[in-house]
Structures are given as structure tokens and as C-alpha cells.
Amino acid sequence: MTKLTYLNEPSVLDNLQRRYGLNEIYTYTGSILIAVNPFTKLPHLYNLHMMEQYKGAPFGELSPHVFAVADASYRAMMSEGLSQSILVSGESGAGKTETTKLIMQYLTYVGGRALRDDRNVEQQVLESNPLLEAFGNARTVRNDNSSRFGKFVEIQFDSNGRISGAAIRTYLLERSRVVQITNPERNYHCFYQLCASGRDAETYKLGHPSNYHYLNQSKIYELDGVSNAEEYVKTRRAMDIVGINDDEQEAIFRTLSGILHLGNVEFSPGKEHDSSAIKNQQSSFHLQMAAELFKCDVDLLLATLTTRSIQTREGIIIKALDSSAAVAGRDALAKTVYARLFDWLVQKINRSVGQDRESKMQIGVLDIYGFECFKTNSFEQFCINFANEKLQQHFNEHVFKMEQEEYQREEINWSYIEFIDNQDVLDLIEKKPIGIIALLDEACMFPKSTHESFSNKLFQNFRSHRRLERAKFSETDFTISHYAGKVNYQTETFIDKNRDYVVVEHCNLLSSSRCPFISGLFPPLPEESSRSSYKFSSVASRFKQQLQSLMETLSSTEPHYVRCVKPNSLNRPNRFESSSILHQLRCGGVLEAVRISLAGYPTRKTYHEFVDRFGIIALDIMDMGYDDKTVTEKILQRLELGNFQLGKTKVFLRAGQNGVLDSRRAEVLDSAAKHIQGRLRTFLARRDFVTMRIAALSLQTCCRGYLSRNTFTAMRETAAALVIQKYFRCWLSRCAYVKLHLTSVVIQSIICGFLTRRKFLGRKEDRAATLIQAHWRMFKVRSIYRNRQHNIVAIQCLWRKKLAKRKLRRLKKEANEAGALLLAKSKLEKQLEDLTWRLHLEKKLRMSNEDAKSVEISKLQKTVESLTLELDAAKLESLNKSMALERQLDASDKKKSAFEREIVSLTELRNENAFLKSSLTALEKKNSMLESELAQAKEEASCTVAKLREVEKMCLQLQQNLQSMEEKRSNLENENHVLRQKTLDVTPRSNRTGFAKPLLDRFSGALVPSSADKKSYESPTPSKFIPPLSGGFSDSRRTKSGMEKHQGNVEILSRCIKDDLGFKDGKPMAACVIYKCLLHWHAFESERTAIFDFIIESINDVLKEGDENATLPYWLSNTSALLCLLQRNLRSNGFLTAGSQRSAGSTGMNGRLGPKSSFKYHGLDDSLSHMEAKYPALLFKQQLTACVEKIFGLIRDNLKKEISPLLGQCIQAPKIQRVHGGKSSRSPGGVPQQSPSNEWDSIIKFLDSLMSRLRGNHVPSFFIRKLTTQVFSFINIQLFNSLLLRRECCTFSNGEYVKSGLAELEKWIVNATEEFAGTSWHELNYIRQAVGFLVIHQKRKKSLDEIRQDLCPKLTVRQIYRISTMYWDDKYGTQSVSNEVVSQMREIVNKDSQNLSSSNSFLLDDDLSIPFSTEDVYMAIPAIDPSDTELPKFFSEYPSAQLLLQNHK
């Protein structure tokens, strides 16, 4: 912080706030570390890697950190041999405890364990922190883990820097918190941990903390993010590591349980005057439990709480206590027991860790309570703030007084800095004989003293003291102006809390406990103190002595300061309250320390030390015989270091000058080392060269002799080889002649034998062929005869079979007539049931018309009798016909057996023929086997070749896809890089304020239309944030001049957009012409241009003014084509036109195009040069993408609006069809095939018009497929939701009507082909399954699993339940599903309703998202070649377009 340009309060505060926002919570002010509490976990700052980085690093070289302060103290101790101390100070909740733990963690990491020491000292030192926090920390108003005691840890080291021992000293435990707390504070953590311990709590009869008086005074029982049960386990583990055995742990928690039970003992006035007794049975239980846990007599415990013994000359007098005095005695006992227990824990930790008496080096870490100022400040806050005043004085003495005194002692030029000195506050508190503590002790000596008398005496003695004031609204309260601010103290409890009375009865009671641990906490009192019931001791005086001892210890060490700062009063992360932090910095002296570090001389050395270290920088000055002071001055002058001071015995340097000296000294040493190294390398190289030259001469001599001997040997061997070769060639020629002669004789004999055998075999084959031909002709004639006979028999069998089938068909027809009679019977029986039901109904309704009713009944009975007679006659006729059919079937069976016998004879003849053929086909089988093996081998070879070709094709395709993906990724990265750079380079004068915003903010909400009734045609891209074109002309001169310069170009573009240029060979002319114009005008290379905004605004204007049915498809085709041209050719590093990239892109898209696409694949003109794509061009591509998505959304919404009224008419069948639907049905088992009504015809016509409109505007099949799919999805949602909401639609006839309409939609999808319809038929799954469920019969026989898995797998149970309960058969009167299925579905629906996470709606939701991305459009739409596009005729009217027309020609 001393390096700030402007060293004042705002700059310091701004520096801390900026670092705090970046989680840089540590800051240096000279050698003082400022730590801002982040109120959140930052594990990356405190791992082993960070410790390793700061180990041995010079102070200030790395980022500020608490590890750097700890390492600096450790290195200073090792280098100087002096003890060090680290003082952690700050307000309550500033993070002092956590900082202390981190310092101890680092010291144990650096120090480790001493050699030949089997103890785990470092682990015990670390684990003492959570143990003491459990018993000494509590939640206060400002801090969830506030230390309610002071702690000074001395870590002792041996001569090797290893930890050899440790000692812990504590100060002023807040005993009153055990018995009294306020909301929202908490008692000590150990009580809540014990209550959450589970089995241990049950052992001690403990429950929830709200059941105990000492804990339920505040309603806060849990801390955010802290589990009491887990903390209890950590506390037990810490006890094990520290060395507390299981028996001692059990005794400790037994004692804590006894304190809690003791707090629930209540008293009421007794029978006698000023006496007390147990209030109720519950208090008796808690008293009994406390006695059992303390292992003492319950009656003796009650007696010590309700009576006191007074020693007189005559003897001991027993005095009864009233209920209030008994409660005070109870609380005094609880506080005494807890204080003794805490002291025992500290002593146990010290004994377990062990102190090294021989250690001469140590590092002390002070963690003491911070400055406190609450609404109610009592004796504890007074002592705590007194301790902080002492520490502030020590800080002042070290940082301010000692610094300036040394400057004055050395008599250097130094301007004195005023600072806040709190010595007068310390004199006010501790000075004798008249001080606040002395007056308080004096008041405690007198039994009748009150807080009023104490306050009056205080005001009388310090009436004119500037640090002490009387409170405004109280006669007894007083206010002290501390270094951190004014604090108002309430004196009601000062005297009582300062009197540390030891009740003799309590000590005697617990010293006689049967528990060795508890009796050990209360050793027997000496006889003098046992004579009186009370033993007085001043808490303030004892605390004052402890502070004095602490100050002496700190004065004997070299201090290091860590100032902890609390960023906000709410203990919330990422909140920075400037006023509170500035107050802490002022009161802590941080700003004064910054000024001293900047204006002073932090580096000082004696002249002898300076010359001894830096004399080598100027050796010539050293040789002149000057004294050390003169040498020092000349060295500094030579290095041109100004603003240093020369004292009597020391030289004082500014911050950073010592580093300059060290760097110059390192340069001198480096140059000397390099000179020595050069000389040494020269000597070594010379020596090696001489040795190598001698060795080379000897080696050359040997090599020459060796080569001469080899040459002579080669010449002698060559001569011998010539002689040997001559004789060897002669022998080879002789052998070859003999071998050739023998071979010719053998070949002649073999040829003669072969010719003779071939003639013999030819004659033999001729004889065999003649014999075979004779047998073959005989077999051929015989087979022709047998085939004719077989065919004749087969024709006869087929004719008889045909006659039998005719008879069978006639019999089946007669049987069907019998079935029709049975159906008629069932109808008559059903009519009879209906008539009898009506009869009973009329009996109940028309009791008065019995006569007329009896006549009708008689008529009905006659008709029933006639119908029964007709039924019996029909039965007889059906029986007669069935008997005749059976007789005919028997006759046909007999004929069938005769046919089977003839077939057996034919099979025998066939077997004989097969035996004759087997002899002829033996040779053919062998040949066929060989041929099949050869063919199989050829097939396998061809298969392997085909597989290899397929693999090669796949590899090539994958490589091409990979190359295209890499190109796209690189293009996107370059594009983002350019966007970032251009965003940073935008000047404040630009009127396009939207350019500086992130792209994500610009595109948010751009793709969704504003409402269903009001259409929004504004630009959905960053043009919303860019002022309109007219406003841009008036606000910016540069934009105005640019538009005047290109006015002709703007008019050309306006004509291209407003006129319908149509299509040529399937290519949108407007997109191609606009792209060629922009390319010709170098618009993509412009740093600033408004032409792209003009294009987008013109398109929006055309969309507003034109007919939607014609304009939207036309511009969807043009904008998508223009977007693809930009996407394929626009890169962040220019227009890439290399042939390799075009080929890669075209092959990657070829698989996605349909066979009817009108676009062609062409690359751009190879003559185009590489041009850099600027920021407006990249932004224009983003605007165009959003425009395509917007047009698609408008088309989709318009289609939904048009088809919604048609769907409302199609969901329900017309009344005429529902009335007469029953007459057109053939039977209950058959579903009638109804022709769709005019409503479904209107939907088909609507779809046909949509398809013709889109294809007429050459909209790519990709968009047509997406639109068709979304329209059918909307049809599915509307029909299904209407079916579930309207009961009149859940009928059998309505299901038939809707099913026939869906069949027409299926025909339309088939005719439209998959290229344009896509998966539209699958979008109708919900309504198809629901209608199928309506029209099936026998629903009562279907189980729930069959319905869910087979009939309606897409529907949920809630939807099936809705359809089942609303269904009614208006045609045949059949019933819905069974009651068991309904009850099962009801149970499932009720369970789902209870589950809050699941949706209880049975309706379908419409999807309003855009079903494609920019990458999908780029991959699906084929490439376009705009180079052969003819320019419109009106281009000749504009002079600015003449050059473009010439280039085109």
C-alpha cells in the first residue's frame, strides 16, 4: 500500500475494496499485514502448495499473505536468534481466530518435528485450537465464533528450527456467559455439541438445548453451515490427539451435563422466613441428576445451595438463603465449576504438549478478544477493551515511538508525525491509587457498596478528565473514549462480577466427590480460607497483572503485526462498508503506519555492516583508506541513490534502495564469477587440446601402417583368386554339359510314353461315350413318358381339389347364414332386456295408469312369444344345415384318403428315377464342389475388397468432417477474438453505445415475439441498442459524411430490398445481389459503416408493410441464403476462398441435401483476395441470424393462429353423424369407416396452401420440414387438450370421426414425402393413442399394464384416468375400463398429487422455442454461387453501379 500514487484515505480504502472484490483479502502496509475477513471459504489460499510457495520466499516478493508474515517471523528467528511474536488484533468478528489458526498451521508445517522426538507436538498444537474453541468460543451479536477468552501460544523451537515444545496462556474467560446470555447470542459451543451427541446425550439424560435454562435464554441453537454433531466428533478427536484419555473425556462431559441439569433447578420461598426450597418435581429430578453426575450427596448439594455457614467465636451459624440468593449460589457454583474445568483443559494441553525449558527461541501468537461495543456493555466489555488499549499502546510504541526515537537518536532530518496516543486512557483505567480498577477494588471491599456509590465516586475523581464522560440518560453509566471510539458502560453488575468469591461449601462439596476428576478440580482449601464462607479476589486486578506479564513478554520479542478488518456488520460475503472499515483503519493506526513506511527509512544498517556487504561495488574507494561513513556515502553517490540519510552510527535508506544495492552487488559478483569461469574454461580447453593432438598423431601412425598391410594382403589374395576362378569355371562347364545330356534323354522318353497313353485313353473314352449315349437316349424316352403320366395325374387331382373347394365354400356360406341367425337372436335378446327394463321403470313412474300399462304389457308379451317361436325355428334350421355339412365333410375325407394312396405310388416311382440319376451325377457333384469352393473363395475376396473400400470411404469422410469442424472452431475463435478487440477499441464519441455491451446482453430476448395480437417487427439483434439511422446522421459527423458519400449505394440496396427480384434457377436473387454489392463496395473491410444497419432496418420495414403470406416466406428464403453466404465465406481473419476449404465444406453438407434441391454447389471466384473481416461485418452476421429466427417464429405463429379455429371445429363430430352413426355400423365388433367432414378437408387445403406457398418462394426443405413438424405438434396439442377438457368429445362416435380425420392427415404426410414432412406423423402420437383408446371395444377386459404398455405408451396415468372417467359410448352403450383399473389409476394419481416436485397437469404445453441453431442452417442449406447472378436492369440508372456492371460483364 505504500506504493500508492496518492497516499490518502480514499485511495487506501479504494485499494482495499478492489482487492477485496478480487478475493485478495491480504494487503501490506510496510511490514504490517491487513487481513479483510471474506466471510466465506477460500481453500485455494491455504493448501500445501501455497505453503510451499511462501516457504523461504523474501518478504514482499510474493502476494501479501498471512503465510508470508509467519515465514518472516520464522526466518528472523533463525537468522538473528531472537524470539518473535505475532500480534493478531482487530474488532470482534474480524477473523482473528482463523488467522491465528493459519499462522500456527504454517509454523507447524515449517518447523515440523524435532529430531529424535517421538511426540506429535505439531499435531497437538494444531488440535488444541478446536478444543479450546469448543470450550472458550461462543456466538455473539457480531461473530458466530467469537473468542470469549484471550490466548497466547508460545511455540518453542530448538537450534535446528524444529518445534520442541509449546505453551498456552489464557486470559479472562467470560464466566458469566455460562449462566446468562441474551438473544441472539449463544452459550459456549461445547454445551450444544453435547446435546447433539446422540448416545452420549442419552447417557447423561440430555435432550434438545431448548429444554435447559442456561441455553434457552436465546432462541439460537444452530449456526449456519455448522453441524453440532460433527463438531462434537471433532472435539473428541482433538481430545484424543492432545492426550486426554477416555476416562477423563467421560468426566469432562459428565461435568458439562451436571452444569446443564444444575441450571434447571428452580427455587421457591420456603416455609420459614427468608428460606427457600425446591420449586417442583421437575427441579427435583434435575437436582438428582446433577448430584449423580457430580457424584456427590444430593441432600448435601441441596444444603449448599439453600444455606450458608458463618464462622463466629461461639461456633458455626447456619443461615438460610432466600430463593433469589439460592439462584445466585446455583449460578456461582456453575460458573466456578466451568472455570475450573477450562483451566484444567489448558493445563492438560500444556502438560501433554510439553515445554522445552532449554529452548532459547520461540514464536508467540497472540489471539485475544477484539474491541467490543454493544448496546449493553458490562464488566466483561470493560476488561476486553482495556486489553485492546494495552495492545494498541504496544503497537504505537513499536511502530511510531520507537521508529521516531531512533531517527532522533541518530540525528537525521525527520519531520515528526502526530499519532493518537492512548496512554491517558490506560492511566485512567489502571493508575494507582486513583484509577477505575483501583476504585472498583475499593468498592468491592465494602459489603454495602453499590454501583451508585461506585459511579458517584468515579465521577468525583475524574470530573474533568477528557476521556471519561457521564452518560446522558443514566446516573450510573459512564462513557470512555477508547482508541476505537466511545463506549457506554453499565455499572449495575461491575461490583458483583469483580468479586471472585469462592464459596467454601461449594469447594468442600465437590472436593468430596466420588469422581476423581471433579474432586481434582477442587483441591482442599487451607485452614485460613476455610474459616469463612467467602474468599474475595479481584478479577480486574488479576487480569491487569496478566496483561502486564503479557506486555513484558511481547516487549522481549520482535513483534509482527496482523491487523484484521471486518468488512461489514452483517457477516455477509461480498459486502464492503466503507465507513466501518475506514474507522477501523484510523483507530488501528494503519494510515499512520503507511505514512511512516513511505516517509521514513525502513532499511537501516551500521556503517561497518554496509561496507562489509556492499564494499565490493566500489573496490577503488575501499583502497583509498576512507572511514566507513565516507565509503558509504561515496558508494551511494556513485550509484546515484538520493534521499538517503547518514546518522551517527547507521545509514538510513528509503524503501527499495536496498534492493538496488543488492542487485548491483549481485551484478559485480556475477561478473567476477564469469571472469573466473572464463579463465578456468580456457585452461581446461588448452589442456584437452594438447592431449588430443598427441593422441591424434599416434593414432594416425597406427592407421597408416594398418592400411598398408591391408593393401598388400588384398593384392596377394586377388592373384590367388584369379587362379581359383579359372579352374572352377572349367568344372562348372563340365557339370552343366553332363546334366543337360541326361535331361534331354529323360524328356524324350517321357514324351513318347505320354503320347502313347493319350491315344489309348482316347479310344477308351470313345467306347464309354457310345455306351453312355445309348443309355441316356433310353432314359430320356422313358422319363418323357413318366413326366406325361405324372402331369395327367396332377391335373386330375387339381380339378378334383377345385370341385371340393367349391363345395366347401358353399357349406361355409350356409354356416355364415346360421351365424347371422345367432346374431339376430342376440339382438332380440338385447331388445327383450331393454323392454323389461322399461317395463320396471314405467311401473315406478306411472302407478296411476295401471290399466293402460297392463294392455301394453300384454302386447309386449305377445311380441316376445312370437319372437321366441321364430328363434326356435331358426335354431332347428341351423341344426339341420349343420348335419348336412358334416355328412359332406365325411365324403370329402374319403376322397382325400384315395388321393393320398395315389400320391404314395407316385413317390415310389420318383425314388427309382432318383436312383438312376445318382450314378450319372457323381462326377457332376465333384465338379460342382470344386466350382463352389472356387466361387466361395472369389466371393470372400470380393467381400474383403468391398469392406476395405467402405472403410477407406469412412476414413475419408471422417477426415473431411474433422477438417471442417476444426475450420469452424478456428473461425469461431478468431471471430470472438476480433469481437473482443473491436469492443475494447470503440471510442466514447461513437454514437453506437450498444457496441460496448457484451453480445449476450444484446441478443437476449430477441427471438420471441412481443404478443399474440400485436406483431413486433423491430430488429431483434443489437440494433435495439444502436440508435436509428436518422438519429445516427444527426448525432455523428463521421456517420453523416459516410452516408452522404454512399447515398447511391443505399438507394440501390433499398431497391433490391423493396422490389421483388424473384428467383432464378432456385436461387434468391435479392440475397445474391446484396451480397455482390457488399463484396464490391468492400463493406466487410470497413471499421465503421452504417450500411449493415440500413439493410436490417429495411428488411424490417418490408416485413411491416408487405403481405405476411407472401413477404415472410420470400424473406425467409433470402435471409437464410444471405446468412449461408456469410457463414461459408466470412471468417474472423478474412474471406477464405481456397479450393481446399470449399471442397471440405461442400462434402460436409452433401449428405444433408435432398434430391430436389434447386441450389447448386459452386465455390467463390478464385480471383478474390484475402480481406480482413472487421467488427461491423461480424456483427451483421449476428443480426442476420436473429432476423432469420424472427421470420421463422412469425411464420410459425401466423400458422398457429390460422389453424386454431379449424381445429376447434374438427375435435367434435357433427350432430348428424352422431345421431345416425349407429345405423351405419355393421356390428359392434366392426369400426365404421366414415368419410372426413368438410372441417378436415379445410385443414388439408390449409396444409396444401402452406406447402405451395413455401415451395413457391423456394424456401429450403430444412425450414419447410421444421415448420411442418411444429404445425403438426400444435395440432396434436390442441386436439389432445380439447379432448381432455370437453366431455362431449370423449365418445365412441367422436373417436371414429377424429380417427378418420387423422387418416387423411396421414395420407397428406405420405404424399408430401419425408423431405418436406419429416417426422410429422410421430408428432401426432398423443392424439392417435387417445383416439385409439376411445374406439376399441372390450375396455373392461384390459388391465392397466396393457393400456399403458400396448395401447397408450405415450400417455401418463393422469391422462388415461381423465379419458377413462370422461368416456361414454353414445353408439353401442359399452362401458369404460373396469373399476379395479380405475381404482389403481386413482391411487397413482393421488400419490403424484402429493409429490410436489412432479407436475399435476394432464394437459400438454406448446413449445415456443426455435427448433434449430445457426450451425443447423449452415449444414442443411446447400451452397450458392452468386458469381453468375445477373444484376437487375435498374442498376444502369445509378452512376455508382456502373463499375459493378462493368466487372460483371
Side-chain angles (χ1 to χ4, degrees), residues 831-1017:
Q831 291 177 2
L832 179 61
E833 291 176 359
D834 293 336
L835 292 173
T836 54
W837 179 77
R838 290 181 182 178
L839 178 63
H840 292 298
L841 182 63
E842 290 177 358
K843 281 182 180 180
K844 295 179 182 179
L845 297 177
R846 299 180 181 180
M847 297 297 295
S848 61
N849 299 328
E850 294 181 354
D851 297 336
K853 187 176 182 180
S854 61
V855 173
E856 291 178 0
I857 291 172
S858 62
K859 290 180 180 179
L860 292 172
Q861 287 178 351
K862 289 179 181 179
T863 56
V864 169
E865 289 176 357
S866 62
L867 291 173
T868 52
L869 292 174
E870 292 177 0
L871 180 63
D872 294 337
K875 288 182 179 179
L876 291 173
E877 291 178 359
S878 63
L879 290 173
N880 294 330
K881 290 181 179 180
S882 62
M883 292 295 291
L885 291 173
E886 289 178 355
R887 286 194 295 271
Q888 292 178 0
L889 289 173
D890 293 335
S892 63
D893 291 336
K894 291 179 181 179
K895 292 180 180 180
K896 182 178 180 181
S897 61
F899 290 154
E900 289 177 353
R901 285 193 296 272
E902 293 177 357
I903 290 170
V904 170
S905 62
L906 289 173
T907 53
E908 291 177 354
L909 294 173
R910 290 174 181 173
N911 292 331
E912 291 178 357
N913 293 331
F915 178 77
L916 293 173
K917 290 179 180 179
S918 61
S919 60
L920 293 174
T921 57
L923 295 173
E924 294 179 356
K925 285 183 179 180
K926 292 181 181 180
N927 294 330
S928 65
M929 288 175 63
L930 293 174
E931 290 176 357
S932 64
E933 289 179 358
L934 181 60
Q936 185 176 2
K938 291 181 179 179
E939 289 178 357
E940 290 177 357
S942 62
C943 289
T944 54
V945 171
K947 289 180 180 179
L948 288 174
R949 291 176 179 173
E950 291 178 358
V951 170
E952 289 179 356
K953 291 180 180 179
M954 290 177 64
C955 291
L956 290 174
Q957 186 175 2
L958 290 175
Q959 289 177 357
Q960 294 172 356
N961 293 336
L962 179 61
Q963 185 178 2
S964 63
M965 294 297 290
E966 288 178 353
E967 291 175 359
K968 294 172 187 174
R969 180 181 61 80
S970 63
N971 293 334
L972 289 175
E973 290 177 355
N974 296 330
E975 191 172 312
N976 292 332
H977 179 67
V978 172
L979 287 174
R980 290 195 212 99
Q981 290 181 349
K982 295 299 180 181
T983 303
L984 295 174
D985 294 337
V986 173
T987 59
R989 294 179 297 174
S990 177
N991 60 342
R992 301 182 181 181
T993 57
F995 284 175
K997 298 182 180 180
L999 288 176
L1000 292 176
D1001 296 337
R1002 302 177 192 174
F1003 292 101
S1004 60
L1007 303 180
V1008 182
S1010 60
S1011 63
D1013 300 328
K1014 184 178 181 180
K1015 300 174 183 176
S1016 176
Y1017 287 93

Side-chain angles (χ1 to χ4, degrees), residues 780-797:
K780 191 172 182 181
V781 173
R782 192 184 299 115
S783 63
I784 290 171
Y785 169 75
R786 289 178 179 175
N787 287 334
R788 288 179 180 177
Q789 185 181 8
H790 176 266
N791 292 334
I792 292 169
V793 173
I795 290 170
Q796 292 175 355
C797 292

Side-chain angles (χ1 to χ4, degrees), residues 1212-1225 1234 1288 1291-1294 1296-1297 1368-1372:
Q1212 189 174 2
K1215 294 183 179 180
I1216 298 174
Q1217 292 186 8
R1218 284 185 287 166
V1219 171
H1220 301 287
K1223 295 180 181 180
S1224 62
S1225 177
Q1234 299 178 359
E1288 64 270 19
T1291 62
F1292 187 91
S1293 61
N1294 195 66
E1296 293 178 339
Y1297 172 74
W1368 59 287
D1369 193 347
D1370 58 343
K1371 200 167 187 179
Y1372 304 112

Side-chain angles (χ1 to χ4, degrees), residues 61 83 120 128 140 305 874 942 1132 1304 1334 1391 1413:
E61 180 177 332
S83 298
N120 52 351
S128 65
T140 61
L305 295 176
S942 62
S1132 60
E1304 294 297 319
L1334 291 178
K1391 290 181 180 178
S1413 63

Side-chain angles (χ1 to χ4, degrees), residues 893 1120 1384:
D893 291 336
S1120 61
Q1384 291 177 5

